[in-house]
Amino acid sequence: MLRKWTFRAVMAYLLFGLAIYVYLFYLAGNAIPAQFKGTSVDPATFLNSRELMLSEEYSKIRNLLFFISTPYEWLFYFLVLIFGISKGFENWAKNTSKYHGIQTAVYLFLLSLLSFIVTFPLSYISYRFSKAYNISTQSFSLWMKDEVIGFWVNFIEMFIIVAVLYWLMKKFKKRWWIPAWLLSIPFMVFMMFIQPVVIDPLYNDFYPLKNKELETKILALADKANIPAEHVYEVNMSEKTNSLNAYVTGIGSNARIVLWDTTLDRLNEKEILFIMAHEMGHYVEKHIYFGIAGYIILTGVGLWLTSIIINRMVRKRGNELKVTGVSNLSSFPLFLLITSILLFAASPFTNWVSRYEETRADRYGIAMTQDKKAAVQTFQDLTKSGLSQVDPPILVKIFRYDHPTMLDRIMMVERFKE
């Protein structure tokens, strides 16, 4: 039985990977629709022949890695269960200490370390390709530093979540998902509050924008939009990437407007002001609050479905999965497997909502700056810096794109009426 389940799982993963490879490299078309040839959306008008070739190659590789990485994690969780590895880690943790907190920490460390080792090859391949295509500028040592920091940050967050979650599972046998859902709300708000000032600085250095003349113009836009911003921050991303970006993060007094130094170095002032107006559009449109509301709803539905599925799986397949009870730590890979599948299944909807909000922010940015030329140039420069596809395959757009495609964004600008 064990061999049969393992063979089927591995074969399913390999066949899926082969199907995705064929789709991305042979079936999905690369050309933009004929009616857009020669327009501002045609990559041939703002990329040279080498950049066109590299963008197609890199996009296909990056999309392939995206589609095979998530099922790879599913396969890992499944094999950890059926081979009794999770059960073995639980027994090891129980023999370490009589205290549940220490047991949870030991179990999670063993599982996290194994997960880090098993998924490391795909992470390294992704890093090497981004380096080869001149997207990443990180040295291997700096990249590994970020990987190690990420491991410990994820471990601490996961320890808090798992310790509380499995305590609730023991206390509330059937309705554990309700208090778990209610507690997830203040935890999420807390994480959003500390993200800009505690977690982000672990990876990069943040400092006030050096160009004070530009900061004055950005803050003038913020004042025009009734945004109570006092500072704009820049972050030294040039030591890690050639990509461009800017964002607003955090909530309350810890909210920050952040510009990557690559954006400051490679875009002109008008383009930067358009990007800032776009980010302010998210604030004015209250997207952060819609995002919080959406998170609360999806988390509640997700935990409810997970509770139903995990109970049924343990009841019917507990022996094969080496899990004797839902509240046992050994069931955690099953919990991760179910939630990961549910999140992937929900991604077309969440990506669609995100694309809608990004379009609204784009429209706000154009309306505020009244500079369609700068908006088009910005999107063309973003395409060039990230070697992005202007018009990606439909499956890539549905499952991967939380922003509109560059084709959609540029055409929206061209058709926009002030």
Side-chain angles (χ1 to χ4, degrees):
M1 179 65 73
L2 181 62
R3 288 183 178 180
K4 182 170 72 174
W5 280 41
T6 303
F7 177 78
R8 288 178 177 176
V10 172
M11 286 303 299
Y13 176 73
L14 293 176
L15 289 173
F16 172 79
L18 178 62
I20 287 295
Y21 175 82
V22 171
Y23 170 74
L24 292 174
F25 284 81
Y26 295 100
L27 299 181
N30 299 325
I32 64 169
Q35 65 266 32
F36 298 125
K37 293 287 187 179
T39 67
S40 59
V41 79
D42 184 355
T45 64
F46 58 88
L47 299 179
N48 60 41
S49 58
R50 176 171 172 76
E51 289 170 336
L52 281 170
M53 178 191 69
L54 293 177
S55 66
E56 288 299 329
E57 288 180 356
Y58 182 63
S59 294
K60 288 176 180 178
I61 293 169
R62 187 173 55 175
N63 292 333
L64 177 64
L65 289 172
F66 167 80
F67 277 108
I68 66 175
S69 294
T70 301
Y72 184 74
E73 292 182 6
W74 300 347
L75 180 64
F76 167 73
Y77 296 141
F78 179 71
L79 295 181
V80 162
L81 288 165
I82 66 170
F83 278 101
I85 298 173
S86 181
K87 184 65 176 178
F89 286 167
E90 182 183 37
N91 292 335
W92 192 343
K94 287 180 177 179
N95 292 332
T96 303
S97 173
K98 63 179 181 179
Y99 298 105
H100 292 299
I102 297 177
Q103 292 175 10
T104 301
V106 171
Y107 172 85
L108 272 180
F109 177 77
L110 294 172
L111 182 65
S112 300
L113 182 61
L114 179 61
S115 176
F116 181 85
I117 294 170
V118 170
T119 59
F120 182 82
L122 281 180
S123 299
Y124 180 72
I125 290 171
S126 179
Y127 161 72
R128 289 305 304 172
F129 272 114
S130 64
K131 186 84 170 175
Y133 283 85
N134 202 35
I135 300 298
S136 173
T137 59
Q138 276 186 302
S139 64
F140 176 76
S141 59
L142 185 57
W143 177 76
M144 275 303 303
K145 176 186 174 184
D146 281 353
E147 291 290 300
V148 172
I149 291 174
F151 172 86
W152 286 109
V153 169
N154 290 334
F155 172 76
I156 293 171
E157 290 180 5
M158 195 64 71
F159 171 74
I160 297 171
I161 293 170
V162 172
V164 173
L165 179 66
Y166 277 78
W167 176 77
L168 293 173
M169 285 180 173
K170 288 182 172 66
K171 188 172 182 63
F172 306 97
K173 299 292 184 181
K174 294 183 178 180
R175 298 286 184 265
W176 56 265
W177 67 272
I178 297 177
W181 173 46
L182 295 176
L183 287 175
S184 73
I185 299 171
F187 180 76
M188 179 267 297
V189 174
F190 172 73
M191 292 303 298
M192 290 180 66
F193 188 78
I194 69 168
Q195 182 83 29
V197 294
V198 177
I199 298 177
D200 288 346
L202 295 175
Y203 297 91
N204 300 101
D205 295 327
F206 292 79
Y207 36 84
L209 186 61
K210 297 174 184 176
N211 187 336
K212 295 304 176 185
E213 182 180 349
L214 178 61
E215 183 181 45
T216 299
K217 293 180 179 180
I218 292 173
L219 293 177
L221 284 179
D223 183 65
K224 184 179 177 181
N226 296 317
I227 298 174
E230 296 180 0
H231 299 286
V232 180
Y233 292 86
E234 63 179 283
V235 54
N236 61 328
M237 290 298 295
S238 55
E239 64 181 9
K240 296 184 178 183
T241 183
N242 283 317
S243 295
L244 312 177
N245 197 15
Y247 59 90
V248 176
T249 185
I251 57 174
S253 60
N254 281 358
R256 284 184 173 182
I257 300 173
V258 180
L259 277 162
W260 287 11
D261 60 348
T262 51
T263 303
L264 293 165
D265 293 339
R266 298 180 190 181
L267 297 187
N268 61 46
E269 185 177 280
K270 290 183 178 180
E271 292 174 276
I272 293 172
L273 290 176
F274 167 73
I275 290 177
M276 287 291 92
H278 165 97
E279 296 301 331
M280 293 172 192
H282 287 301
Y283 180 93
V284 172
E285 298 267 347
K286 296 181 171 52
H287 290 162
I288 187 171
Y289 299 108
F290 287 117
I292 291 172
Y295 170 88
I296 292 172
I297 294 171
L298 287 176
T299 302
V301 174
L303 286 171
W304 171 62
L305 289 174
T306 300
S307 70
I308 294 173
I309 297 170
I310 197 171
N311 276 303
R312 186 170 299 174
M313 290 290 291
V314 171
R315 187 170 63 251
K316 293 187 175 181
R317 298 292 183 181
N319 290 334
E320 291 93 334
L321 298 174
K322 311 296 189 297
V323 177
T324 56
V326 172
S327 61
N328 293 348
L329 281 173
S330 56
S331 72
F332 187 54
L334 180 58
F335 179 89
L336 291 175
L337 174 60
I338 295 168
T339 54
S340 180
I341 292 174
L342 290 176
L343 284 171
F344 187 79
S347 63
F349 172 73
T350 56
N351 286 341
W352 176 82
V353 172
S354 178
R355 289 195 298 269
Y356 172 77
E357 291 182 342
E358 293 297 333
T359 300
R360 296 281 300 180
D362 283 344
R363 294 180 66 84
Y364 183 89
I366 301 167
M368 172 171 275
T369 61
Q370 294 291 304
D371 196 339
K372 293 168 65 171
K373 182 179 178 180
V376 170
Q377 186 64 49
T378 299
F379 294 139
Q380 291 176 340
D381 288 342
L382 289 172
T383 301
K384 182 182 294 188
S385 68
L387 293 180
S388 305
Q389 287 176 305
V390 169
D391 188 24
I394 186 64
L395 287 182
V396 176
K397 178 179 178 180
I398 291 173
F399 284 97
R400 188 157 187 247
Y401 272 52
D402 56 4
H403 282 59
T405 66
M406 288 304 176
L407 186 148
D408 293 333
R409 301 183 87 170
I410 294 175
M411 289 311 301
M412 186 278 296
V413 175
E414 297 288 10
R415 294 166 179 167
F416 183 84
K417 295 182 180 179
E418 292 81 355

